[in-house]
Amino acid sequence: MKAQQFVVIGLGRFGSSLALELMEMGYEVLGIDHQEDRVEEMSNHLTHSVMADATDEETMRSLGVRNFDCGIVAIGDNMERSILAAITLKELGVKKVVAKAITILHGRALSKLGVDRVIFPERDMGVRVAHQLVRPHLLDYIEISKDFKIVELTVPACMDGKSLSELNTRAKYGCSIIALNRDSGMIVAPTALDYLHNGDIMVVIGSNESIARFEDEAVNLD
């Protein structure tokens, strides 16, 4: 199966980091930026990197951008260029268009243009760090919907040596431990007979309220 192809427009800190991670995951990446130094810096790391005006439809067509599976507008210093680049990708028929938004208003404009996904890296990172600061066992989380999420929690001392049947999280709190990550490897769909140990990371799924109850008890008992 042919690897998915991504075009990343804007090779600043966010765009270059995203492009490099996609390469690391085995995908093909075309990086585009209007600054020569950024293009040169990424030339040996991406499948291709090109200095070009991403708002020029003919230029983008000549680069074959319409054949890419996903276009990512990662321009973070110019709202107008970001919007014009997104319009260009949409008009060329790129299958999926993702764009970074600088402000809420910018995000709304991108959504109205039909961008498939609008992301707010700085805002989202701020929210994530705030949650981690006030919840000592929280490592990371993914919002599945407004009311449900998956979180990674470190195993507190009070749970060391306890089996999942003893915790009985589904009955007590309404959330489920769906995986355990430890030095020896990941245990997916652990059974009631699996034990927790200090240093383990629990992957928990549930409603916001159920996970909060589980975390609160862990903190109070720790």
Side-chain angles (χ1 to χ4, degrees):
M1 184 181 294
K2 183 181 177 182
Q4 287 190 62
Q5 295 179 312
F6 294 82
V7 55
V8 178
I9 298 171
L11 298 175
R13 284 176 296 182
F14 173 72
S16 59
S17 175
L18 187 150
L20 290 171
E21 186 64 22
L22 288 170
M23 288 292 296
E24 185 70 22
M25 295 167 69
Y27 299 109
E28 296 180 12
V29 180
L30 166 64
I32 298 175
D33 201 287
H34 68 290
Q35 294 187 29
E36 185 177 3
D37 57 337
R38 290 179 176 180
V39 173
E40 288 182 355
E41 185 178 347
M42 299 300 290
S43 61
N44 294 325
H45 303 288
L46 305 182
T47 310
H48 300 289
S49 60
V50 178
M51 186 176 72
D53 180 0
T55 67
D56 186 288
E57 188 172 333
E58 288 305 315
T59 298
M60 297 295 276
R61 181 178 283 109
S62 69
L63 291 172
V65 167
R66 66 182 303 171
N67 299 315
F68 282 71
D69 299 289
C70 180
I72 301 143
V73 180
I75 298 171
D77 58 353
N78 189 307
M79 191 182 303
E80 182 181 356
R81 288 181 62 83
S82 166
I83 290 171
L84 291 175
I87 291 172
T88 301
L89 292 180
K90 294 296 292 184
E91 291 188 344
L92 287 174
V94 176
K95 299 171 189 174
K96 182 178 182 180
V97 178
V98 176
K100 169 186 174 179
I102 305 168
T103 65
I104 297 296
L105 182 60
H106 183 198
R108 287 176 184 164
L110 290 168
S111 296
K112 289 182 181 296
L113 292 172
V115 168
D116 298 283
R117 183 179 177 188
V118 178
I119 53 179
F120 297 84
E122 288 84 2
R123 183 198 67 181
D124 293 347
M125 182 54 69
V127 170
R128 192 175 298 274
V129 171
H131 279 274
Q132 291 169 339
L133 288 173
V134 300
R135 297 154 72 183
H137 295 289
L138 177 68
L139 297 178
D140 205 352
Y141 70 94
I142 299 172
E143 289 188 344
I144 306 173
S145 69
K146 185 178 64 139
D147 300 314
F148 288 85
K149 60 188 172 186
I150 298 173
V151 301
E152 287 186 342
L153 301 170
T154 56
V155 172
C158 63
M159 294 181 185
D160 183 33
K162 290 190 175 182
S163 68
L164 296 191
S165 64
E166 289 179 82
L167 289 180
N168 199 13
T169 57
R170 183 175 296 178
K172 289 182 180 178
Y173 311 103
C175 56
S176 300
I177 298 174
I178 58 174
L180 293 172
N181 193 357
R182 52 183 48 149
D183 291 340
S184 58
M186 175 78 80
I187 301 174
V188 179
T191 71
L193 299 178
D194 282 304
Y195 286 80
L196 300 175
H197 304 288
N198 271 335
D200 288 353
I201 297 171
M202 302 177 285
V203 182
V204 185
I205 186 170
S207 67
N208 298 336
E209 292 78 9
S210 65
I211 290 176
R213 287 196 301 271
F214 180 48
E215 284 186 275
D216 287 343
E217 179 150 327
V219 170
N220 291 333
L221 293 175
D222 200 13

